[in-house]
C-alpha cells in the first residue's frame, strides 16, 4: 500500500457543502460536464479575471488558530480609564456561552418571518423596555449601529420634523463625545446643516436659524449637569433636544426624558459587551410616542396571532428605507441585534437592584479616588460627576509625566484640553486599582501616596434634581432570572423559538446565509481581541494593526482596488461612505454641482436612501422586461444629466441574479459623462475569484463582510461594510478625530476608527483558511448550487430571469404571482415553509409576489434536495387549491404555520389531517421545528402599537379588539 502525504483536514472541504459525489450528480442535473463549463456559460468572458487571486496559502484550522494566537498576543492589555463612551465590563459567563458563542443565536436571520423568530423578538422587546425605562421616554428602537450613528439619526429626524423650515443650524455642546461630533459633522455637511459647537450654559437658543440641539449626560469630561432649564428654553424657541446619555449612570441620575428631552441616544456597551477595540456595540435611540412614525431603525412590537395569542413582530415597517426609498430620512438596514440581545440579557440577569449597585460601587470608588487625589493637591474640575474625574494639571510637562508613569504601570488615562487628565472608573475597578491610580500621581509629584480605603457607604453630593426618584425595570422579566439556573433556562426557552442555520438552510436571496465556522468565531471572545479600548495608544494594538493591514491588502486583491477602509460598520454605512468618497472627489475638483445619482429601479432600498443622505438627487433608471438595466434609458439619462452627474449605483451580479452582459458598457458610459461608479457589494459572493468590481469598471464598492466573508448575521446584526476604492478616491476615505487613520482627513462615518473591529477576525480567519483557490472554489460552488436548485424547481415554479445561456448567478427569482388567481399569496408559501422546517427565501424583492432564492456554497446536495422536496410538495398543495380539491380559504397554506397547540386541539375540524399540517415530510417528522405562534396579524400590531414588556390587554382599545378564530389570521 502506497501512502501519500498531504493535509488531511482542509478547511475548504468543511466550508463547502457538496462532496465529490454530490458535485457529480448536480453537474448531471444541471446538464454540464464540469463546473468550468458551467462557469463559462454563466459569467461573461469579458469580465473574467485574467489571473488567480494572489492570497496566502490556505491554513488548516489548527494552524490558523496557532498563528492568530501569536498575532492577538501583540495586543497589550492595559487597565483602561479612558472613558469616552467605552468602558471595561463583565459579560456574565452564562450569557457568553449560551448567546454570544451559540450558533442558535448568532446564525439567525433578521426577524422578517416573525413566527419562527419569537425568541429573538422577545429579547429585543426586553432591550427596548430597558432603554425606554432608563431614559424616561416612551418608545425606543431595537438598536442602531453605535452612539455616533444614533446621534446623527436624531439630527436627521428632527431636521425633517422642524416647523422652522429655513433653519439649518444645529447646536452641539462642546462636551458631546468628540467621536460623536465627528460623525455628526459627516452627516450634517452633505445636507447643508451647520453645526454650532459651544458651551450649553451660554448658548443663544433664540437664534431662529437653529432647529435643534444635542447635549451629553454625563458630559465628555465627566461633569453632570441638570439640563432641565436648557431644554425648557429650547422648547420655548421650537428647538428639539437630544441628550446622549450613559445607561448605567441613569440608574442613579434623573433620566433625560424627565428633564424634557425629545430623544435620548447612546451606547449600551457597558451592559456586558466587551470594548472590542470599538465594536460592535448596540447604539440606542429612545424618543417620544409622538415621533413613533419617523423614528429610524427597527421597532419590535406586540401583536396577536391567528389563535389570539400574544406574538411579537417588527412593527411600523412602512417607515423603513426599503419601503420609502429616496423619501427615507435614514438608510439604516443592519441593526446590532446580537449586541442588543446581550445588553438586554445583562439587564435581565442582573435586574434593577444589581445594576444600581454596580453604578453605586463605581460612584463611591470615584468619590474615594477624588478624595485621595485631593490629598495630593490635585485639582478636580467637576462639581458633580458619576464615574469620571477631570484632573487639572499645572503644565504640559506634568501631563506628559503622568502619561509616562501611568503607561509604565500598565494604565491608560485620557489626556485632553489644557493639561487635563480624564479618569473614568468602571464595573471592573477594584480598590486596588484605585490605589494604583493614586500611586501614579504620588510618584510623579514626589509625594507619599495617601492611605486609600473603600468606605462602606458614601453620601452622594449631587443636587436633588439630579438624583433619580423614578423606578425602572419593574416588569417581572427583569426580576425573575437572577440565579444562573433560571437565566440559563430562560435563554434556552427563547433560543428554542428561533430557527437558525443550526436547524436548516436559510436560502435568502441577496443575504448570503452561509457557514459561520466555529474556528472563525473562536477568537472573537479572546481577551486580547475583546478588551482593548478603541482610543488606547496604537502601539498597544499592534496585533490589530497587523489584522487591519492584512485584511485591507487581501480585500484590495479580491476587489481589484487600491485602498480599503474598514470603518463602516454596516452595509448601509458602507454605501454612504462610498458615496461620500465620490462626493469628496468631485468637490476637490471644484465640481460641487455634481449631485445626480443614477439608480436602477430594482436597487435595494438603502441605495436611494444613502444617496439622498449624501446630498444627491436620485434619478431612477428603468429596467427592461428581462430585469436588466435598460441601457438605452441609462445612456439617455447620463447624457441628460452629464453636467451634474455624480455617480451610478449598481449591484453586480444584478439584484435579480444575472451577470448582465452590458456592465462594462454601462460603467464606461458613466465615466464618459464625468461620473463615477459605485457598486453595491451585496452579491459579491458571486464575484470572488471569478471577476471583480474593478474589472467591471466600478470605482468604489462596499463589501458585506456579514455575507460574503462569513461574519454571522446575528439575527439582524452585527454587520461590517468596508469600502474599497480606486487610487484617486483613496484620499476621501473616512478618517477619525481621535485616531490618525492612516492620514485620512475626512470625518468619520462610525464612532470607532475601525468600526466593528472585534469581529474582523472572523473574515480574517475565513480568508486565511480558504486561500485564493478556496475562495474561488466557494464562488464556483455557490453558482453550482444555485443552478442545481434552478434545474430542480423550474418545472414547478417559473424562474423569472436568467442570463444569455439560461443560467442564473448565485441566486434566482421564483415567480409565484400566477398563484394569486387561486387566492394564494407568496406570503402563504413563506409561512407554509415553516411547517417543513425552513425559513422562507427573500419575499417580494426585487419583484412583488416572488421568492428570491440563494442557497450559498455551504449547503450540501442533501440539504438542497430537502428544500426542493418542500417546495415541490407546496406546489402540489397549491395545485389542490387551483383545482378545487382544497378550499380556497380553509387550506394548509392559509392556516400555516401550524403550532403544536393548533394540532393538539380536541376537536380537529380542518379538511386536512394533523399529520399533513405538521409532518409533511419524513425529515420534518424526524427533525421537527415547531413555530412558536400561528400566523401573526401585522395590521393589528400596528394599530395597537406596544413596544415594551407590557401585557397587550392593558392597552388595547376595546372597540379595536378582533375576535380570533382558528380559520386563519384576522386581517
Amino acid at each position: 500500500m502506497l501512502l501519500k502525504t498531504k493535509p488531511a483536514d482542509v478547511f475548504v472541504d468543511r466550508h463547502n457543502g457538496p462532496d465529490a459525489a454530490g458535485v457529480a450528480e448536480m453537474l448531471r442535473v444541471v446538464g454540464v460536464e464540469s463546473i468550468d463549463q458551467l462557469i463559462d456559460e454563466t459569467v461573461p468572458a469579458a469580465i473574467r479575471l485574467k489571473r488567480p487571486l494572489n492570497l496566502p496559502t490556505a491554513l488548516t484550522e489548527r494552524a490558523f488558530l496557532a498563528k492568530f494566537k501569536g498575532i492577538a498576543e501583540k495586543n497589550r492589555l492595559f487597565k483602561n480609564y479612558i472613558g469616552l463612551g467605552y468602558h471595561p465590563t463583565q459579560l456574565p459567563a452564562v450569557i457568553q456561552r449560551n448567546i454570544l458563542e451559540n450558533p442558535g443565536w448568532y446564525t439567525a436571520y433578521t426577524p422578517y418571518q416573525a413566527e419562527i423568530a419569537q425568541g429573538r423578538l422577545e429579547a429585543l422587546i426586553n432591550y427596548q423596555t430597558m432603554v425606554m425605562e432608563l431614559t424616561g421616554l416612551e418608545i425606543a428602537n431595537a438598536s442602531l449601529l453605535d452612539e455616533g450613528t444614533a446621534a446623527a439619526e436624531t439630527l436627521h429626524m428632527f431636521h425633517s420634523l422642524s416647523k422652522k423650515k429655513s433653519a439649518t443650524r444645529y447646536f452641539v455642546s462642546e462636551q458631546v463625545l468628540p467621536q460623536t461630533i465627528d460623525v455628526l459633522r459627516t452627516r450634517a455637511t452633505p445636507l447643508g446643516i451647520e453645526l454650532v459647537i459651544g458651551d450649553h450654559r451660554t448658548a443663544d437658543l433664540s437664534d431662529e436659524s437653529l432647529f435643534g440641539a444635542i447635549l451629553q449626560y454625563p458630559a465628555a469630561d465627566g461633569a453632570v449637569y441638570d439640563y432641565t432649564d436648557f431644554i425648557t428654553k429650547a422648547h420655548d424657541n421650537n428647538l428639539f433636544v437630544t441628550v446622549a446619555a450613559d445607561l448605567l449612570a441613569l440608574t442613579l441620575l434623573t433620566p433625560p426624558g424627565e428633564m424634557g428631552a425629545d430623544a435620548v441616544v447612546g451606547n449600551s456597551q457597558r451592559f456586558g459587551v466587551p470594548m472590542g477595540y470599538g465594536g460592535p456595540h448596540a447604539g440606542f435611540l429612545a424618543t417620544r410616542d409622538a415621533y413613533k412614525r419617523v423614528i429610524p431603525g427597527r421597532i419590535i412590537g406586540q401583536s396577536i396571532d391567528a389563535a389570539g395569542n400574544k406574538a411579537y413582530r417588527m412593527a411600523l415597517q412602512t417607515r423603513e428605507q426599503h419601503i420609502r426609498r429616496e423619501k427615507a430620512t435614514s438608510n439604516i438596514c443592519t441593526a446590532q441585534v446580537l449586541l442588543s440581545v446581550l445588553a438586554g440579557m445583562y439587564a435581565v440577569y442582573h435586574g434593577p437592584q444589581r445594576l444600581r449597585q454596580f453604578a453605586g460601587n463605581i460612584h463611591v470608588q470615584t468619590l474615594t479616588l477624588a478624595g485621595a487625589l485631593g490629598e495630593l493637591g490635585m485639582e478636580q474640575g467637576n462639581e458633580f460627576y458619576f464615574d469620571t474625574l477631570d484632573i487639572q494639571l499645572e503644565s504640559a510637562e506634568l501631563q506628559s509625566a503622568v502619561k509616562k508613569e501611568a503607561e509604565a504601570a500598565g494604565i491608560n488615562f485620557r489626556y485632553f484640553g489644557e493639561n487635563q487628565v480624564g479618569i473614568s472608573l468602571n464595573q471592573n475597578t477594584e480598590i486596588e486599582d484605585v490605589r494604583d491610580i493614586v500611586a501614579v500621581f504620588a510618584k510623579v509629584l514626589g509625594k507619599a501616596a495617601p492611605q486609600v480605603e473603600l468606605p462602606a457607604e458614601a453620601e452622594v453630593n449631587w443636587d436633588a434634581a439630579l438624583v433619580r426618584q423614578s423606578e425602572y425595570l419593574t416588569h417581572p422579566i427583569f426580576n425573575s432570572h437572577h440565579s444562573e439556573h433560571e437565566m440559563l433556562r430562560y435563554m434556552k426557552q427563547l433560543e428554542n423559538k428561533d430557527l437558525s442555520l443550526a436547524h436548516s438552510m436559510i436560502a435568502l436571496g441577496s443575504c448570503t446565509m452561509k457557514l459561520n465556522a466555529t474556528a472563525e468565531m473562536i477568537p472573537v471572545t479572546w481577551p486580547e481581541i475583546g478588551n482593548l479600548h478603541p482610543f488606547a495608544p496604537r502601539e498597544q494594538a499592534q496585533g490589530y494593526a497587523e489584522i487591519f493591514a492584512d485584511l485591507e491588502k487581501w480585500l484590495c486583491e479580491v476587489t481589484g482596488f487600491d485602498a480599503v477602509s474598514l470603518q463602516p460598520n454596516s452595509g448601509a454605512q458602507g454605501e454612504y461612505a462610498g458615496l461620500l468618497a465620490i462626493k469628496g472627489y468631485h468637490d476637490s475638483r471644484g465640481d460641487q454641482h455634481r449631485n445626480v445619482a443614477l439608480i436602477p429601479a430594482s436597487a435595494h432600498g438603502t441605495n436611494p436612501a444613502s444617496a439622498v443622505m449624501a446630498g444627491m438627487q436620485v434619478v431612477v433608471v428603468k429596467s427592461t422586461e428581462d430585469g436588466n438595466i435598460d441601457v438605452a434609458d441609462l445612456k439617455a439619462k447620463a447624457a441628460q444629466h452629464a453636467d451634474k452627474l455624480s455617480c451610478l449605483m449598481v449591484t453586480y451580479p444584478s439584484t435579480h441574479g444575472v451577470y448582465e452582459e452590458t456592465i462594462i458598457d454601462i460603467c464606461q458610459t458613466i465615466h464618459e459623462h464625468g461620473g463615477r461608479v459605485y457598486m453595491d457589494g451585496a452579491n459579491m459572493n458571486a464575484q470572488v475569484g471569478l471577476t471583480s468590481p474593478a474589472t467591471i469598471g466600478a470605482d468604489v464598492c462596499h463589501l458585506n463582510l456579514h455575507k460574503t466573508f462569513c461574519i454571522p448575521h446575528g439575527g439582524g446584526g452585527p454587520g461590517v461594510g468596508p469600502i474599497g476604492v480606486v487610487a484617486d478616491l483613496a484620499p476621501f476615505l473616512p478618517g477619525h478625530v481621535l485616531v490618525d487613520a492612516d492620514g485620512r482627513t475626512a470625518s468619520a462615518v462610525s464612532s470607532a476608527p475601525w468600526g466593528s473591529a472585534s469581529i474582523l477576525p472572523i473574515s480574517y480567519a475565513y480568508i486565511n483558511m480558504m486561500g485564493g483557490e478556496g475562495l474561488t472554489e466557494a464562488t464556483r460552488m455557490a453558482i453550482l448550487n444555485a443552478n442545481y436548485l434552478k434545474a430542480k424547481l423550474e418545472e414547478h415554479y417559473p424562474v423569472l430571469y436568467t442570463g444569455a445561456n439560461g443560467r442564473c448567478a448565485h441566486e434566482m427569482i421564483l415567480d409565484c404571482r400566477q398563484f394569486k388567481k387561486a387566492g394564494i399569496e407568496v406570503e402563504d408559501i413563506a409561512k407554509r415553509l415553516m411547517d417543513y422546517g425552513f425559513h422562507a427565501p427573500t419575499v417580494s424583492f426585487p419583484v412583488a409576489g416572488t421568492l428570491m432564492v440563494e442557497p450559498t456554497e455551504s449547503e450540501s446536495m442533501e440539504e438542497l434536495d430537502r428544500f426542493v422536496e418542500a417546495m415541490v410538495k407546496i406546489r402540489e398543495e397549491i395545485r389542490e387549491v387551483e383545482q378545487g380539491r382544497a378550499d380556497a380559504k380553509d387550506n394548509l397554506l392559509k392556516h400555516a404555520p401550524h403550532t403544536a397547540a393548533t394540532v393538539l386541539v380536541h376537536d380537529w375540524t380542518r379538511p386536512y389531517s394533523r399529520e399533513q399540517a405538521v409532518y409533511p415530510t419524513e425529515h420534518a417528522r424526524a427533525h421537527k421545528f415547531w413555530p412558536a405562534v400561528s400566523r401573526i396579524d401585522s395590521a393589528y400590531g400596528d394599530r395597537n402599537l406596544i413596544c415594551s414588556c407590557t401585557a397587550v390587554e392593558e392597552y388595547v382599545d376595546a372597540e379595536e379588539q378582533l375576535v380570533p378564530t382558528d380559520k386563519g389570521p384576522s386581517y
Side-chain angles (χ1 to χ4, degrees):
M1 179 171 58
L2 182 65
L3 298 178
K4 296 184 178 181
T5 58
K6 64 177 183 178
D9 193 10
V10 179
F11 178 75
V12 68
D13 296 336
R14 307 292 194 196
H15 178 80
N16 290 339
D19 57 17
V23 169
E25 173 60 15
M26 287 193 288
L27 291 173
R28 185 194 67 77
V29 171
V30 171
V32 292
E33 296 294 325
S34 66
I35 296 183
D36 286 341
Q37 180 187 345
L38 174 62
I39 299 305
D40 287 343
E41 293 178 5
T42 305
V43 186
I47 65 168
R48 293 287 297 275
L49 295 180
K50 303 296 188 268
R51 61 170 179 80
L53 293 175
N54 181 22
L55 292 171
T57 303
L59 300 176
T60 64
E61 294 179 32
R62 181 170 63 88
F64 167 73
L65 288 171
K67 169 191 171 182
F68 196 78
K69 190 67 175 177
I71 295 173
E73 287 174 350
K74 295 178 183 178
N75 292 332
R76 300 168 63 196
L77 298 181
F78 282 29
K79 291 288 182 75
N80 284 293
Y81 307 105
I82 298 170
L84 291 178
Y86 300 95
H87 304 270
T89 185
Q90 187 65 47
L91 178 62
V94 66
I95 299 176
Q96 176 172 319
R97 174 64 60 88
N98 292 287
I99 292 183
L100 181 57
E101 297 175 350
N102 183 350
W105 284 91
Y106 66 68
T107 70
Y109 181 59
T110 306
Y112 286 115
Q113 297 297 332
E115 293 85 353
I116 50 176
Q118 287 297 294
R120 205 164 349 114
L121 290 165
E122 181 172 328
L124 292 174
I125 281 277
N126 296 344
Y127 175 84
Q128 289 178 178
T129 302
M130 174 189 79
V131 170
M132 291 157 62
E133 295 195 6
L134 288 174
T135 60
L137 284 169
E138 295 126 25
I139 192 167
N141 63 24
S143 76
L144 292 173
L145 302 176
D146 54 32
E147 183 165 339
T149 303
E153 292 295 334
T154 61
L155 178 147
H156 282 249
M157 181 172 77
F158 291 140
H159 183 245
S160 66
L161 287 174
S162 178
K163 296 178 181 178
K164 301 165 71 173
K165 296 305 179 184
S166 61
T168 58
R169 303 176 84 213
Y170 190 68
F171 177 80
V172 180
S173 167
E174 61 193 10
Q175 286 294 340
V176 168
L177 299 179
Q179 68 270 24
T180 298
I181 296 176
D182 206 25
V183 175
L184 285 170
R185 184 175 291 112
T186 300
R187 296 281 287 268
T189 301
L191 300 180
I193 297 172
E194 178 188 353
L195 301 185
V196 180
I197 301 172
D199 188 333
H200 77 277
R201 293 167 294 188
T202 58
D204 177 12
L205 301 183
S206 65
D207 184 345
E208 279 300 308
S209 66
L210 292 172
F211 65 87
I214 184 170
L215 309 164
Q216 192 82 38
Y217 183 65
D221 66 1
V224 175
Y225 299 101
D226 179 0
Y227 291 126
T228 305
D229 288 345
F230 179 96
I231 294 171
T232 299
K233 291 177 183 176
H235 288 166
D236 289 344
N237 287 281
N238 295 314
L239 271 64
F240 294 100
V241 179
T242 297
V243 176
D246 180 329
L247 278 184
L248 190 58
L250 298 185
T251 62
L252 298 178
L253 289 166
T254 298
E258 293 179 14
M259 294 180 179
D262 300 293
V264 181
V265 299
N267 182 351
S268 55
Q269 177 267 317
R270 73 188 309 177
F271 274 46
V273 183
M275 291 183 292
Y277 206 45
H281 306 130
F284 65 83
L285 193 164
T287 189
R288 303 212 169 274
D289 184 73
Y291 311 133
K292 64 189 176 188
R293 302 284 168 181
V294 293
I295 181 176
R298 293 167 178 154
I299 302 173
I300 309 307
Q302 292 182 10
S303 187
I304 58 172
D305 72 356
N309 299 309
K310 181 175 74 173
Y312 301 111
R313 56 178 284 276
M314 292 200 296
L316 301 178
Q317 290 188 52
T318 53
R319 306 160 16 267
E320 294 192 24
Q321 43 71 25
H322 65 280
I323 301 293
R324 302 197 70 216
R325 300 178 70 81
E326 68 270 14
K327 295 180 181 178
T329 57
S330 171
N331 70 343
I332 288 297
C333 184
T334 308
Q336 297 283 22
V337 171
L338 188 64
L339 294 313
S340 53
V341 167
L342 292 178
M345 287 300 182
Y346 182 89
V348 168
Y349 189 42
H350 289 306
Q353 290 80 19
R354 211 179 294 170
L355 291 177
R356 185 179 179 89
Q357 190 62 61
F358 286 149
N361 291 346
I362 292 169
H363 186 59
V364 171
Q365 289 172 337
T366 309
L367 289 169
T368 303
L369 176 60
L373 293 178
E375 289 184 45
L376 289 173
M378 293 288 93
E379 180 186 353
Q380 203 288 115
N382 295 329
E383 180 183 6
F384 303 129
Y385 51 86
F386 164 59
D387 64 355
T388 300
L389 302 179
D390 178 7
I391 306 301
Q392 316 273 323
L393 300 180
E394 295 178 354
S395 66
E397 290 75 19
L398 191 56
Q399 186 190 56
S400 180
V402 169
K403 183 175 187 294
K404 181 178 180 181
E405 186 59 38
E407 291 181 358
I411 292 172
N412 288 326
F413 299 136
R414 179 190 176 203
Y415 306 95
F416 67 106
E418 295 184 4
N419 311 322
Q420 292 163 266
V421 178
I423 307 174
S424 297
L425 303 190
N426 56 75
Q427 177 192 347
N428 295 347
T429 304
E430 305 288 351
I431 189 61
E432 292 81 7
D433 299 314
V434 176
R435 292 175 185 139
D436 289 342
I437 294 169
V438 173
V440 166
F441 284 88
K443 188 171 182 180
V444 169
L445 296 170
K447 297 181 179 180
Q451 189 72 24
V452 180
E453 299 294 340
L454 188 66
E457 58 184 27
E459 187 69 34
V460 175
N461 68 343
W462 301 334
D463 281 347
L466 291 171
V467 179
R468 180 162 194 154
Q469 303 298 325
S470 54
E471 292 186 319
Y472 49 88
L473 305 186
T474 57
H475 191 278
I477 206 72
F478 297 103
N479 296 279
S480 305
H481 306 292
H482 298 164
S483 74
E484 182 166 331
H485 235 152
E486 288 302 313
M487 188 66 186
L488 173 66
R489 289 167 179 160
Y490 176 61
M491 291 186 294
K492 283 297 178 182
Q493 287 165 7
L494 296 191
E495 179 190 343
N496 291 339
K497 296 178 180 180
D498 280 18
L499 187 141
S500 71
L501 285 175
H503 299 93
S504 58
M505 68 185 288
I506 302 179
L508 286 151
S510 196
C511 292
T512 316
M513 298 289 289
K514 63 204 284 183
L515 173 71
N516 313 121
T518 305
E520 296 160 2
M521 300 297 296
I522 284 173
V524 170
T525 52
W526 288 353
E528 300 93 336
I529 297 300
N531 292 351
L532 262 72
H533 194 287
F535 306 137
R538 289 187 70 175
E539 58 267 20
Q540 295 172 20
Q542 289 305 300
Y544 265 118
E546 184 172 337
I547 294 167
F548 299 155
D550 284 347
L551 199 50
E552 289 175 10
K553 179 173 64 177
W554 298 341
L555 294 179
C556 281
E557 173 64 15
V558 166
T559 59
F561 287 141
D562 301 293
V564 163
S565 168
L566 300 171
Q567 188 180 117
N569 50 7
S570 80
Q573 288 286 73
E575 287 180 17
Y576 182 63
L579 293 176
L580 290 185
I582 291 173
K583 184 178 188 304
Y585 166 80
H586 286 311
D587 289 352
S588 72
R589 295 160 53 90
D591 289 340
Q592 289 87 350
H593 59 283
R594 288 192 172 272
N595 67 344
V596 169
L598 300 184
I599 302 180
S602 61
H604 191 281
T606 56
N607 284 186
S610 296
V612 170
M613 286 170 54
M616 296 182 183
Q617 175 191 345
V618 173
V619 174
V620 177
V621 177
K622 297 177 184 176
S623 298
T624 61
E625 288 188 5
D626 60 3
N628 294 332
I629 294 173
D630 186 329
V631 177
D633 187 56
L634 177 134
K635 290 189 173 186
K637 285 173 176 169
Q640 177 186 351
H641 299 285
D643 292 342
K644 298 176 65 178
L645 182 61
S646 175
C647 64
L648 166 74
M649 300 185 77
V650 63
T651 301
Y652 200 78
S654 64
T655 310
H656 57 282
V658 173
Y659 294 90
E660 295 188 43
E661 302 270 352
T662 57
I663 187 64
I664 291 178
D665 183 29
I666 286 171
C667 294
Q668 287 176 345
T669 297
I670 300 302
H671 291 151
E672 287 168 2
H673 291 90
R676 308 306 294 260
V677 176
Y678 163 86
M679 195 203 86
D680 186 315
N683 292 341
M684 195 68 194
N685 210 49
Q687 284 202 41
V688 179
L690 299 181
T691 183
S692 73
T695 300
I696 70 169
D699 300 293
V700 53
C701 81
H702 86 266
L703 302 170
N704 295 101
L705 298 192
H706 50 288
K707 296 181 181 180
T708 306
F709 294 93
C710 290
I711 292 174
H713 280 63
V720 182
I723 55 171
V725 296
V726 293
D728 61 354
L729 295 184
F732 310 103
L733 291 174
H736 198 277
V737 67
L738 292 176
V739 176
D740 178 13
D742 302 318
R744 294 168 186 164
T745 58
S747 52
V749 295
S750 302
S751 290
W754 288 278
S756 294
S758 70
I759 55 175
L760 293 177
I762 300 169
S763 299
Y764 189 87
Y766 174 63
I767 297 173
N768 249 291
M769 293 189 293
M770 292 290 279
E773 290 184 12
L775 292 178
T776 305
E777 187 63 16
T779 309
R780 287 154 52 91
M781 292 306 304
I783 293 170
L784 174 61
N785 278 3
N787 279 278
Y788 176 70
L789 281 187
K790 173 181 173 293
K792 285 273 195 170
L793 290 173
E794 59 189 349
E795 64 180 284
H796 305 283
Y797 300 86
V799 174
L800 200 52
Y801 305 117
T802 58
N805 297 309
R807 305 298 183 191
C808 64
H810 63 311
E811 62 189 7
M812 80 214 72
I813 297 175
L814 303 181
D815 193 350
C816 304
R817 292 174 293 184
Q818 69 273 26
F819 306 141
K820 286 177 70 70
K821 290 181 292 186
I824 300 299
E825 304 288 343
V826 68
E827 182 187 25
D828 299 323
I829 300 173
K831 304 308 180 188
R832 181 59 176 153
L833 272 168
M834 297 176 189
D835 291 329
Y836 287 81
F838 287 103
H839 192 292
T842 303
V843 176
S844 291
F845 176 80
V847 179
T850 66
L851 294 171
M852 184 159 61
V853 184
E854 180 183 352
T856 84
E857 70 274 13
S858 296
E859 301 301 340
S860 66
M861 186 183 77
E862 291 75 17
E863 183 70 3
L864 299 179
D865 285 343
R866 283 192 285 271
F867 180 74
V868 168
E869 180 187 18
M871 291 297 293
V872 171
K873 282 182 173 289
I874 289 173
R875 180 64 185 94
E876 180 56 33
E877 292 168 359
I878 296 171
R879 190 171 288 111
E880 290 179 358
V881 178
E882 290 174 326
Q883 296 175 355
R885 290 182 286 137
D887 186 83
K889 294 183 178 179
D890 195 3
N891 60 61
L892 284 160
L893 286 103
K894 287 296 182 183
H895 287 305
H898 297 83
T899 65
T902 300
V903 297
L904 289 175
V905 294
H906 179 70
D907 295 318
W908 178 260
T909 60
R910 296 183 180 177
Y912 50 87
S913 71
R914 303 175 208 244
E915 185 175 36
Q916 284 177 294
V918 299
Y919 295 138
T921 64
E922 287 304 311
H923 186 267
R925 182 186 298 274
H927 305 278
K928 182 62 182 176
F929 179 88
W930 289 99
V933 296
S934 300
R935 195 176 306 194
I936 297 172
D937 188 333
S938 297
Y940 178 87
D942 282 353
R943 289 197 306 272
N944 304 280
L945 186 63
I946 303 168
C947 302
S948 63
C949 302
T950 309
V952 174
E953 49 272 18
E954 292 183 25
Y955 282 87
V956 174
D957 187 342
E959 67 181 17
E960 283 198 29
Q961 289 193 25
L962 307 179
V963 181
T965 70
D966 67 350
K967 299 297 184 184
S970 303
Y971 289 113

